Amino acid sequence: MNDRNSESPIIEIRGATRHFGGAWPAVDNIDLDIAEGEFFALLGPSGCGKTTLLRMIAGFENPNEGTIRIDGVDVAGLAPNRRPVNMVFQSYAVFPFMSVFDNIAYGLKVSKVPVSQRRKRVEEALALVRLDGLGQRMPDQISGGQRQRVALARALVKRPRVLLLDEPLSALDAKLRETMQMELVSLQKKVGITFVLVTHDQDEALSMADRIAIMDRGRVRQIADPTTIYESPTSRFVAEFIGKVNLFDAVVKEVLDAEDRIVFEVEGLGELRLPRSRTAGSPMPAASTALAIRPEKIRLSAERPADPIAFEARLEGFAYHGSQSHLHLITEGGGRLSVTSVNSKRKPCESERGKRCFISWDFDDTLILNE
Amino acid sequence: MHRSTSFWTFFLPPSLWLALFFLAPLALVFGFSFAEKRGLIDIVITGTLDNYLRALDPLYLRIFVKSFWFAGLTTLICLIMAFPIALIIAFSSAKWKPILLLLVILPFWTNLLIRTYALIAVLRTRGYVNFSAEWLWEKANAGLNLLGLGDYQLLGERFVPFELLYNNTAVVFGLVYVHLPFMVLPLYAALDRMDRSYIEASLDLGAGQLRTFFSVVMPLALPGIISGIIITFIPALGSFLTPDLLGGTDSQMIANVIERQFKSANDWPFGAALSFILMYITFFALAVRALADKGNRGSGSTPA
Amino acid sequence: MKKLGQRAKSPLEYGRSAWLRLMLLATFVFLYAPIITLVAYSFNDSRRNIVWRGFTLKYYEKAWNNEGLIEAFVNSLTIAFACTLVATVIGTMAAIALWRFPFPFRRAADATFALPIVIPEICMGVAMLAFFSRIGWPTDLIWPFNLGAITIAHISFSFPFVAVVVRARLASFNRELDEAAHDLGASPWQRFQDILLPHLRPALIAGALLAFTLSLDDFVITFFTSGPNTVTFPVKVYSMVRFSVTPEVNAASTLLIVITLVLTSIALWLQNRGNERHPG
């Protein structure tokens, strides 16, 4: 995985734009590289353009502007069946009037693979998705999870360079979804080809993908590995879209060169000092910016802690969720925060509304969001 | 195959067929409706409106009025008969619903001619109704004889069969018989789509069943009612077979006059004008239905 | 089966109201009594056709030996077969063209294809009469070509019905199936043949049966296009009915009812089965 940069990417998208006549383009000037062998996720709310982008890679849509290269070849105007990619559809699109075997064999049949080879490859594909022996079943005689595997096998049997998956797990129930997530990841490692997954489910993307592109309104907002996406979002949108976050508007009050600190005036919290190194990764914070902190990074204590970032707050309410509780607090400055606390033991201030307590967190957990 | 090639492959054959063997004949009749008859088979399209004006002649106007009256009465009777049926079916259990629906649709599939013929067999002077009536008459007379009242001839000297056929009543009876399913189906569809909680809310708020029916069910079913009225009225207005077979000399409807113009009277231009007047009425009614549909969409029965 | 105790009627169980039940029963008697008596008396061994004199099939035999009736029946079947074939093909084409391709005036095209369904039969009948006599359609062809005019008229009014049935089925077509086949390398023709046609099959059969029954049943439009040598079954029955009610006509009518009911039931059954299976 480390030599990813040395190879040329399997998918190379430059300036891709697709208009459908809406208020903004479905896909708006996107640049994206996907490396060989990568499990890549396109994540975003519905209508963000992720499916359109996937369908442009598959060949069901063509960009108005920009180019898409697959394995170095410009695929403009190339029909879906002439691209080295295959797709698993959201509804699986398993042909209802063909047996499982015939479904998987269909792609080989229409591309005139000899019968003897066809048989062998279908059997291999069935084994790969652990459907051995179910070849003669009809699609209405197997479960939803099995239908999904048929769709996978049908696409993989064509030996594509890239497998495209359009919300492949959304039709499954929650429990099955979890096992299928793991299965998809191990399947990808086994076959070693590039998977591009479209999903609106952040858990799915975080747990399965090597890299994630977060999309919104046709644009890519951030491309990074799951940890970076969660721990270091670069924009309000990404911070809010992935997980829960407490967001505060802030302005830079002054820069203390001697102490190597930047002083922010944070709405609802008051003054907050951060080391300059905290902003090193991003450009110098704009005069007005936003600070964010994840609810699970906040500590609660009855006495004022020694931490450099600490505020006094009052417990407004809480919701008990068993393994954890969500607490709602108001700071003296009127800022509202939610805090997730793991219920490993009962903490005194958590059970009484109106009770005063202290919240604190680390420099490193403070997110500075410039967009 | 290119996209547009395959479009024309699919679109062209049916379109050509429709144009040649449906629209062209209609256009021809439309042309004839503005034509003059010169000689036995010579028809010249002159753009005259005489054929339409002739339809206003009291003789034909009377037939139009009569046709409207027959069709209107048929529609009304169908509505009154169909509503309870539709109500029962819409609110019946999942087991009974398809069976009852099938029972309503089944006569629909039986040949119109045969159904009309069945009515003749039932209603004619020597038909089953009169036969049963005669049998009852004989039994009643025998009863009276037993009571010693036989000499007074209370029930008439002999059985006089009811004249059930070849009059206006028979025509309306036949029209209702034939068109009832047309009314039941749209009413059923409207009632079935209706959100039951409206009715339950009305009952809960203290309205009785009858009041609920008139102030909640009827307004909510209005699109279905309008639909039903129109799809019953249009074919009833254009009926040919029912008045032809069940009606008397005084029960002619528009279609019978049209048929006469084309088959025996040989006045095609006038027949063409009459048939296009029927078409205009049809289009008007369909436009009303489309408007009613549009007005009612969304504001109605089912939330999402 | 265990019988449950009588539960009080809940307000929306209109089917359990005695009044409404009575009305329902009366309506069904009204709808069915004439047809059932007609069928029953076709087996009655009595010319007067009123008093039940025992079961007989002799009127069926008589109908069978009535040359004119049989000839008309053969004509009807021939027309219905030809009509079914053409109407199913072009009706399906129309449905696919209107469903798949966005083109200008599509709504107008939709409405135009529905016209034969909505205009009064009499208008279509006279239009066909005028058309075939004006273009000088030959009337002296040998059988079965002399049935051409009637067949054409039948196709014109029945193919839009086929289109409606096929269109309804198309609405449930999952376009991802077509895209999947495309993605797997199938050509447009292969996709049509392997994916779309199998999906449409129940509708094609239902539409064909519908076209067949519509053609077999039609009287009004045929009445205007048939000549003395091209009499169909309903036209023949009409001419018999005008004169008298006879058990023979009852027998012939019963046969037609049975044929229609059987065909329509098959169509309906196929349509339901098609919709229940293959939901995705």
Side-chain angles (χ1 to χ4, degrees), chain B residues 6 23 26-27 37 39 52 56 84 124 145 149 190 192 201-202 222 240 246 272 297 300:
Chain B
S6 61
L23 296 177
L26 279 190
K37 209 176 145 229
Y52 288 98
L56 295 175
R124 72 199 168 111
N145 274 334
L149 299 167
D192 197 49
S202 168
L222 200 62
F240 166 72
L246 301 182
R297 196 167 300 150

Side-chain angles (χ1 to χ4, degrees), chain B residues 206-227:
Chain B
Q209 286 280 15
L210 217 56
R211 195 187 167 110
T212 300
F213 177 78
F214 283 108
S215 58
V216 176
V217 178
M218 289 265 283
L220 282 176
L222 200 62
I225 295 174
I226 294 173
S227 218

Side-chain angles (χ1 to χ4, degrees), chain C residues 45 60 93 100 106 114 121 126 177 179 192 237:
Chain C
D45 193 4
Y60 286 85
M93 285 177 160
R100 181 180 237 165
R106 190 162 115 171
E121 280 185 300
V126 299
L177 290 179
E179 287 181 343
F192 177 73
V237 170

Side-chain angles (χ1 to χ4, degrees), chain C residues 184-213:
Chain C
L184 293 169
S187 68
W189 172 246
Q190 280 172 326
R191 275 146 57 203
F192 177 73
Q193 189 184 262
D194 296 345
I195 312 301
L196 194 61
L197 273 189
H199 175 80
L200 290 182
R201 204 170 55 187
L204 294 182
I205 298 171
L209 291 170
L210 183 64
F212 194 86
T213 35

Side-chain angles (χ1 to χ4, degrees), chain A residues 55 60 79-81 85-87 89-98 106-107 109-110 140 154-155 158 166, chain C residues 173-187 190-191 194-200 277-280:
Chain A
R55 291 169 61 84
F60 294 115
N81 47 335
V85 300
N86 282 110
M87 185 140 157
F89 290 84
Q90 187 167 8
S91 67
Y92 313 147
V94 172
F95 306 132
F97 28 76
M98 293 183 199
Y106 187 76
K109 195 179 108 193
V110 293
D140 55 3
R154 188 177 65 181
K158 294 273 292 179
D166 184 8
Chain C
F173 182 67
N174 176 3
R175 284 181 195 228
E176 285 193 346
L177 290 179
D178 187 57
E179 287 181 343
H182 195 181
D183 186 57
L184 293 169
S187 68
Q190 280 172 326
R191 275 146 57 203
D194 296 345
I195 312 301
L196 194 61
L197 273 189
H199 175 80
L200 290 182
R277 287 182 67 188
H278 314 328

